[in-house]
């Protein structure tokens, strides 16, 4: 009888945990839909995985990971960790559900190449000396 009670309790806990996971995912999808409704965003993303028919892209600005389906993934020459420009928008499917659709617009600036308006060299940091450091004075507080 004790084992059946433990079994029932563990089944109930597992059920509640599963339902909480579903509620969390649904909440994220709902609020993502609200945020992107009537909005078209273009932002940088990174290829984090390759598939036969597409790539998985991570968009750090929004913390979104999305599969981008491609007819010929090798045509773009994408590799893992490539920086790409991604377009995000909401589309309604035949069941009147909103889906976040990611589209790759192309590769982003290649690291190491000079962009228009970019500084020639990053500013150099000044080395600190002992004279630059302030000492703590408890009387000044």
């Amino acid at each position: 009888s004790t084992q059946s009670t433990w079994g029932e309790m563990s089944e109930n806990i597992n059920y509640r945990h599963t339902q909480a996971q579903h509620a969390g995912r649904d909440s994220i999808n709902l609020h993502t839909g609200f945020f992107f409704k009537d909005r078209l965003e273009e932002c940088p993303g990174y290829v984090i995985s390759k598939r036969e028919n597409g790539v998985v892209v991570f968009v750090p600005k929004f913390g979104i990971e999305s599969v981008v389906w491609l007819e010929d993934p090798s045509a773009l020459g994408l590799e893992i960790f490539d920086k790409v420009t991604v377009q995000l928008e909401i589309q309604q499917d035949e069941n009147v559900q909103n889906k976040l659709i990611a589209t790759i617009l192309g590769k982003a600036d290649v690291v190491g190449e000079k962009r228009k308006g970019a500084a020639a060299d990053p500013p150099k940091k000044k080395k600190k000396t002992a004279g630059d450091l302030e000492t703590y004075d408890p009387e000044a507080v």
Side-chain angles (χ1 to χ4, degrees):
S1 73
T2 305
Q3 277 188 332
S4 65
T5 304
W6 283 108
E8 289 173 9
M9 283 176 46
S10 64
E11 284 179 21
N12 187 16
I13 290 170
N14 288 338
Y15 173 77
R16 286 171 177 248
H17 175 70
T18 303
Q19 295 305 312
Q21 285 181 324
H22 290 303
R25 290 182 194 131
D26 290 344
S27 174
I28 289 169
N29 289 336
L30 177 69
H31 288 89
T32 301
F34 285 152
F35 181 79
F36 285 104
K37 185 177 180 181
D38 302 325
R39 179 183 273 189
L40 189 67
E41 288 280 338
E42 285 185 19
C43 47
Y46 298 91
V47 176
I48 60 172
S49 176
K50 289 174 63 174
R51 298 181 177 189
E52 287 182 19
N53 56 352
V55 294
V56 180
V57 176
F58 175 67
V59 181
K61 180 177 180 180
F62 301 110
I64 292 174
E65 191 176 300
S66 181
V67 177
V68 179
W69 305 108
L70 303 168
E71 289 183 21
D72 186 14
S74 61
L76 288 176
L78 295 174
E79 296 296 328
I80 294 178
F81 302 122
D82 277 355
K83 188 174 183 180
V84 293
T85 302
V86 180
Q87 180 180 14
L88 299 170
E89 66 179 322
I90 293 288
Q91 287 183 354
Q92 257 189 5
D93 66 5
E94 61 276 357
N95 297 326
V96 193
Q97 288 190 331
N98 293 332
K99 288 187 177 181
L100 182 66
I101 304 296
T103 308
I104 294 177
L105 300 178
K107 283 189 176 183
D109 291 332
V110 178
V111 177
E113 286 187 1
K114 302 283 186 203
R115 284 180 263 138
K116 292 180 181 175
D121 291 317
K124 294 186 179 184
K125 291 185 178 180
K126 178 184 166 193
K127 288 187 178 183
K128 291 188 177 185
T129 62
D132 294 335
L133 301 176
E134 294 181 22
T135 56
Y136 174 71
D137 183 12
E139 300 296 322
V141 178

